[in-house]
């Protein structure tokens, strides 16, 4: 078998050890479960590509041990008769899609394609065709790797199956040593400087591989395997801000939709019946939104929910996959802290252990905080119950997350406002045209009173773009129709 032969002939002792351990895990799984009872998760990324070829080698060796004539006609090296599941998303890179389907054709993979969200899609798929074990390309350092071992049962709340992780202890270097040593094909994006590929909205080439000193759309990058420090492979998970989109890019997008898709976004969730009943005011939501805007993040969703586990779980489950980060804090008065934490645990399908979500919790300690902040993957649980505490927690959070690289800091938003005594009807259509012409800005309006002026707001990252949009709007009306507030 060409994979096994390539590894045995190489001089890399570390790679041989990693390979042998991974093959042992695969063969152990194939001894425990029949081929009909296992499945492979394949998404076209580098880790799942390694997993695919390890599984090919492991299956070949497993079958050859049972039948000496297996593979004599070449089928054993090209065919992998293990069910393969591909979760296809509309935000996936076309190169990933193409590579996935080409690979499936070459190795005659039995592909099941899921186009819904991961959990519900998996539930529907396994209900129709149950499996007992799932081969995954999870590695230590991945957000989903916390608490997992090479054989780990699925989390509570998920369909029951065994997660098999043959490359759990592999590093970034190990992955590329394997791919290059075995001379197998991988997605072309990795030759363009991408080191960790997510969606088209949150992935750019890794700046550490740039061949030029300044970054631009014309920048050239070294291939992914030349990244010297594998711990920085996710440094490319950053969003590119498009300051001057072409008219072709504008077509078919609403102004705010296009704006939100071009940068980091956050959700803010407040927990407490007191807010819902109007018993107390909650200034923390607006302050937290302003704090996020100050580091260049757009707030795409703000919610107030009831103080119970199911309400927290439902809202967190919706928002954690729609935004880059979710910030949640619990109301006022005697709010049991474990209600919010338990809701977050339920949203991720994990158990509570010592009043914290098991396997996904990271405690963020700071000398200026009496209690640590809680980070569960992309959800931050704040302890603050008032503005003063929020200010302190935010400063500590920024310091901690900047040092760990969790929170990407970008340029702050620039806001400009105009006032006019023109009616809503008069300015509606011209303002819509400006929105289409400047999709990189969020343009809106409001009245502070029924008889007062209309205030038109322009928010974006580029002050010059806001000024250009204001000038374009003024040209559509008589001189003096708009006055600038700030």
């Amino acid at each position: 078998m060409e994979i096994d032969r390539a590894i045995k002939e190489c001089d890399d002792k570390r790679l041989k050890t990693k390979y042998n351990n991974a093959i042992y895990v695969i063969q152990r799984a194939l001894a425990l479960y029949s081929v009909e009872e296992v499945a492979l998760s394949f998404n076209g990324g580098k880790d799942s590509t390694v997993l695919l070829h390890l599984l090919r080698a492991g299956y070949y060796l497993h079958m050859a041990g049972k039948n000496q004539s297996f593979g004599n006609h070449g089928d054993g090296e090209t065919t992998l008769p293990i069910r393969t599941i591909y979760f296809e998303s509309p935000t996936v890179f076309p190169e990933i899609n193409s590579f996935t389907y080409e690979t499936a054709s070459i190795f005659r993979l039995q592909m099941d394609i899921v186009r819904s969200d991961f959990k519900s899609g998996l539930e529907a798929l396994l209900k129709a065709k149950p499996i007992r074990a799932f081969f995954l390309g999870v590695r230590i350092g991945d957000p989903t790797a916390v608490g997992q071992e090479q054989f780990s049962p699925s989390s509570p709340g998920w369909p029951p199956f065994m997660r098999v992780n043959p490359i759990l202890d592999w590093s970034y270097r190990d992955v590329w040593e394997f791919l290059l040593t075995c001379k197998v094909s991988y997605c072309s994006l990795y030759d363009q400087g991408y080191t960790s590929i997510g969606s088209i909205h949150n992935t750019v080439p890794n700046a550490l591989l740039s061949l030029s000193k300044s970054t631009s759309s014309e920048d050239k990058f070294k291939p992914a395997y030349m990244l010297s420090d594998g711990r920085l492979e996710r440094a490319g998970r950053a969003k590119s801000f498009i300051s001057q989109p072409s008219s072709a890019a504008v077509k078919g997008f609403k102004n705010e939709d296009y704006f939100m898709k071009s940068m980091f976004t956050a959700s803010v969730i407040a927990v407490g019946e007191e807010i819902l009943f109007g018993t107390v005011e909650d200034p923390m939501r607006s302050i937290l939104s302003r704090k996020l805007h100050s580091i260049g993040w757009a707030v795409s969703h703000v919610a107030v929910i009831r103080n119970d586990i199911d309400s927290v779980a439902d809202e967190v489950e919706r928002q954690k996959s729609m935004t880059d980060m979710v910030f949640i804090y619990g109301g006022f008065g005697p709010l049991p802290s474990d209600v919010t934490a338990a809701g977050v645990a339920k949203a991720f399908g994990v158990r509570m252990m010592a009043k914290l979500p098991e396997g996904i919790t990271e405690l963020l300690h700071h000398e200026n905080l009496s209690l640590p902040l809680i980070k569960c993957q992309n959800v931050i649980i704040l302890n603050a119950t008032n503005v003063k505490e929020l200010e302190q927690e935010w400063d500590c959070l920024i310091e901690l997350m900047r040092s760990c690289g969790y929170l990407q800091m970008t340029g702050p938003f620039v806001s400009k406002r105009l006032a006019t005594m023109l009616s809503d009807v008069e300015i509606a259509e011209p303002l819509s045209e400006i929105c289409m012409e400047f999709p990189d800005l969020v343009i809106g309006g409001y009245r502070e009173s029924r008889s007062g002026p209309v205030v038109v707001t322009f928010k974006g990252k580029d002050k010059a773009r806001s000024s250009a949009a204001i000038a374009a709007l003024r040209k559509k009306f008589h001189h003096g129709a708009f006055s600038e507030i700030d």
Side-chain angles (χ1 to χ4, degrees):
M1 204 277 172
E2 89 281 7
I3 299 296
D4 191 62
R5 189 163 49 249
I7 298 297
K8 287 180 178 178
E9 292 175 355
C10 79
D11 297 324
D12 191 329
K13 293 182 180 179
R14 174 188 169 92
L15 180 59
K16 286 182 177 181
T17 300
K18 296 287 184 178
Y19 170 79
N20 290 332
N21 290 341
I23 292 297
Y24 173 80
V25 172
I26 291 169
Q27 290 184 313
R28 179 64 178 157
L30 293 176
L32 292 170
Y33 309 101
S34 68
V35 172
E36 292 76 20
E37 294 175 325
V38 300
L40 158 69
S41 175
F42 183 65
N43 63 10
K46 63 184 186 302
D47 297 337
S48 68
T49 300
V50 168
L51 177 63
L52 168 66
H53 292 290
L54 284 171
L55 197 52
R56 288 179 56 231
Y59 174 74
Y60 179 89
L61 295 170
H62 172 73
M63 294 301 295
K66 296 171 62 176
N67 181 0
Q68 296 297 322
S69 63
F70 176 78
N72 286 348
H73 301 290
D75 287 347
E77 298 208 6
T78 58
T79 302
L80 183 65
I82 290 178
R83 186 178 175 193
T84 304
I85 300 176
Y86 176 40
F87 292 87
E88 185 177 295
S89 166
T91 62
V92 72
F93 281 87
E95 292 89 345
I96 284 284
N97 245 349
S98 298
F99 175 73
T100 300
Y101 286 113
E102 287 169 7
T103 303
S105 176
I106 292 170
F107 298 106
R108 307 177 198 173
L109 301 180
Q110 302 170 11
M111 291 272 283
D112 282 323
I113 302 169
V114 179
R115 294 186 172 89
S116 59
D117 68 275
F118 188 89
K119 187 176 182 181
S120 61
L122 188 60
E123 288 174 342
L125 197 65
L126 299 189
K127 185 176 181 180
K129 301 177 183 177
I131 62 168
R132 296 181 61 195
F134 217 117
F135 288 102
L136 301 170
V138 173
R139 290 191 291 117
I140 290 296
D142 293 346
T144 58
V146 179
Q148 287 205 51
E149 298 178 1
Q150 289 175 321
F151 287 85
S152 290
S154 56
S155 300
W158 286 72
F161 57 82
M162 182 63 72
R163 292 175 289 188
V164 184
N165 303 308
I167 62 169
L168 188 64
D169 63 340
W170 285 41
S171 68
Y172 183 83
R173 171 193 176 276
D174 297 328
V175 166
W176 281 109
E177 284 295 326
F178 177 86
L179 293 173
L180 298 175
T181 297
C182 296
K183 299 179 181 178
V184 296
S185 297
Y186 51 82
C187 179
S188 61
L189 289 174
Y190 292 112
D191 285 333
Q192 300 170 33
Y194 291 83
T195 53
S196 177
I197 301 174
S199 80
I200 58 175
H201 300 311
N202 71 354
T203 310
V204 295
N206 195 321
L208 297 170
L209 294 174
S210 176
L211 290 170
S212 60
K213 294 182 179 179
S214 61
T215 57
S216 71
S217 59
E218 302 298 323
D219 203 359
K220 300 296 182 183
F221 296 84
K222 293 179 285 188
Y225 55 79
M226 295 191 70
L227 183 67
S228 58
D229 189 346
R231 294 172 299 177
L232 301 175
E233 67 174 295
R234 295 180 70 85
R237 292 293 186 98
K239 296 186 178 181
S240 57
F241 182 76
I242 305 170
S243 60
Q244 293 184 329
S246 66
S247 58
V250 174
K251 193 172 182 179
F253 284 92
K254 291 183 179 179
N255 182 259
E256 189 170 350
D257 289 343
Y258 188 89
F259 177 81
M260 290 298 185
K261 289 177 180 177
S262 63
M263 64 188 64
F264 293 105
T265 59
S267 298
V268 176
I269 303 173
V271 183
E273 273 87 351
E274 297 89 349
I275 306 171
L276 290 171
F277 279 105
T279 307
V280 296
E281 296 293 331
D282 176 25
M284 290 172 57
R285 282 174 293 164
S286 58
I287 290 176
L288 189 53
S289 293
R290 288 198 293 271
K291 294 287 187 184
L292 286 161
H293 288 157
S294 72
I295 62 169
W297 281 55
V299 178
S300 63
H301 182 83
V302 176
V304 181
I305 58 174
R306 293 182 57 200
N307 177 24
D308 67 70
I309 292 173
D310 288 338
S311 296
V312 173
D314 290 344
E315 191 63 29
V316 170
E317 185 169 12
R318 277 193 295 269
Q319 299 308 320
K320 69 184 177 66
S321 59
M322 296 177 64
T323 55
D324 296 289
M325 195 74 75
V326 178
F327 294 84
I328 184 169
Y329 59 92
F332 302 83
L335 178 70
S337 60
D338 59 342
V339 170
T340 301
V344 172
K346 186 172 182 179
F348 281 97
V350 300
R351 297 173 297 183
M352 290 288 286
M353 182 67 70
K355 295 187 176 183
L356 294 172
E358 183 184 17
I360 61 170
T361 296
E362 183 176 351
L363 297 179
L364 304 179
H365 295 273
H366 193 283
E367 59 183 5
N368 293 332
L369 296 177
S370 57
L371 293 173
L373 301 175
I374 301 171
K375 178 179 179 292
C376 299
Q377 294 191 15
N378 67 331
V379 177
I380 302 293
I381 301 176
L382 300 169
N383 299 313
T385 60
N386 56 59
V387 171
K388 183 178 180 180
E389 291 175 356
L390 177 62
E391 296 273 1
Q392 184 179 31
E393 286 188 10
W394 176 262
D395 291 341
C396 295
L397 179 66
I398 290 298
E399 183 180 332
L400 290 168
M401 298 191 81
R402 183 188 287 124
S403 63
C404 296
Y406 289 142
L407 198 63
Q408 295 285 342
M409 316 287 280
T410 62
F413 284 96
V414 176
S415 180
K416 285 182 173 291
R417 295 188 298 165
L418 300 180
T420 181
M421 293 306 296
L422 295 171
S423 69
D424 300 46
V425 174
E426 289 177 289
I427 67 173
E429 186 173 344
L431 200 57
S432 295
E433 293 172 358
I434 297 298
C435 287
M436 293 296 292
E437 187 178 349
F438 295 87
D440 51 319
L441 301 177
V442 168
I443 303 172
Y446 64 92
R447 285 185 187 274
E448 293 183 342
S449 66
R450 184 178 294 274
S451 59
V454 175
V455 178
V456 183
T457 61
F458 299 80
K459 295 184 178 69
K461 295 292 191 75
D462 189 336
K463 186 176 181 179
R465 290 286 287 169
S466 295
S467 298
I470 289 172
L473 179 63
R474 280 178 162 158
K475 285 182 180 179
K476 295 180 179 291
F477 297 92
H478 62 81
H479 179 71
F482 291 89
S483 59
E484 191 163 331
I485 299 176
D486 52 30

